């Protein structure tokens, strides 16, 4: 199985983020453009929250808020669970399953944000690992 470092390198690019004072409408535009379901909320270099499509559905639409007037900081999840590069993809999967969310920022020892992984990234890595294992076994059997 890949390491978290390899997965982030393969994804490339910098973390997709908005500012706490940005509107929900702005964040949705960024998410659409980048084709992602979540953005990090960064105050300068500091991670202060996370905002995902589920927050939009529940805390904006259902709550009757206006996306052009609501700042992200009013509805983001401020207590963000994250992982560091030493953790395995299995660790990430169990955190997501345990907490029922689909995104995890990756931070280094100095609290710098290195990137974000989604459940989709983990599924992709798992499938390709399993494919590799099956090929190895088939090769072994055919010898
Ligand atoms: P998701 O399944 O990622 O769309 O997120 C579901 C809910 O969990 C939303 O309210 C998110 O703001 C929140 N959430 C997502 N990822 C995290 C995380 N790493 N730490 C804390 N909350 C999160």
């Amino acid at each position: 199985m890949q390491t978290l470092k390899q997965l982030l390198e393969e994804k490339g690019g910098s973390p997709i983020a908005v500012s706490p004072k940005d509107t929900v409408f702005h964040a949705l535009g960024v998410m659409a453009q980048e084709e992602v379901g979540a953005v990090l909320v960064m105050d300068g270099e500091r991670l202060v929250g996370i905002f995902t499509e589920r927050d939009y559905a529940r805390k904006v639409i259902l709550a009757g808020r206006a996306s052009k007037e609501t700042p992200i900081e009013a509805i983001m999840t401020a207590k963000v669970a994250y992982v560091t590069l030493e953790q395995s993809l299995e660790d990430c999967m169990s955190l997501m399953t345990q907490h029922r969310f689909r995104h995890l920022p990756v931070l280094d020892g100095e609290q710098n944000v290195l990137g974000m992984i989604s459940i989709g990234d983990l599924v992709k890595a798992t499938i390709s690992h399993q494919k590799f294992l099956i090929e190895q076994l088939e090769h072994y059997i055919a010898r």
Side-chain angles (χ1 to χ4, degrees):
M1 190 82 142
Q2 270 184 321
T3 63
L4 205 40
K5 188 164 181 280
Q6 287 166 335
L7 196 157
L8 280 187
E9 276 167 9
E10 196 179 288
K11 279 189 84 173
S14 46
I16 300 157
V18 298
S19 302
K21 303 279 181 213
D22 282 336
T23 63
V24 167
F25 189 80
H26 171 80
L28 291 173
V30 172
M31 286 153 78
Q33 195 181 336
E34 302 289 340
E35 298 183 319
V36 291
V39 281
L40 294 174
V41 187
M42 307 274 299
D43 191 1
E45 296 294 294
R46 203 165 54 94
L47 177 66
V48 294
I50 187 165
F51 171 74
T52 81
E53 287 162 345
R54 187 172 297 176
D55 295 314
Y56 177 62
R58 295 187 183 175
K59 300 181 200 165
V60 180
I61 299 282
L62 273 183
R65 286 182 164 112
S67 65
K68 288 189 178 170
E69 269 115 61
T70 308
I72 280 291
E73 64 186 351
I75 55 155
M76 68 187 187
T77 302
K79 196 162 179 261
V80 186
Y82 62 89
V83 286
T84 54
L85 284 182
E86 303 74 53
Q87 283 168 274
S88 67
L89 298 193
E90 286 87 353
D91 292 337
C92 299
M93 266 185 255
S94 74
L95 263 176
M96 286 188 192
T97 312
Q98 195 184 330
H99 296 283
R100 293 167 191 266
F101 50 54
R102 292 163 291 182
H103 299 88
L104 270 175
V106 186
L107 270 61
D108 70 10
E110 274 91 52
Q111 302 288 296
N112 298 307
V113 177
L114 303 174
M116 174 139 80
I117 57 157
S118 70
I119 190 102
D121 298 324
L122 294 176
V123 169
K124 196 172 152 218
T126 305
I127 290 173
S128 105
H129 179 62
Q130 285 176 347
K131 193 165 168 261
F132 170 77
L133 285 182
I134 290 167
E135 276 166 11
Q136 293 277 303
L137 288 171
E138 279 174 351
H139 183 70
Y140 176 73
I141 293 163
R143 271 199 304 172

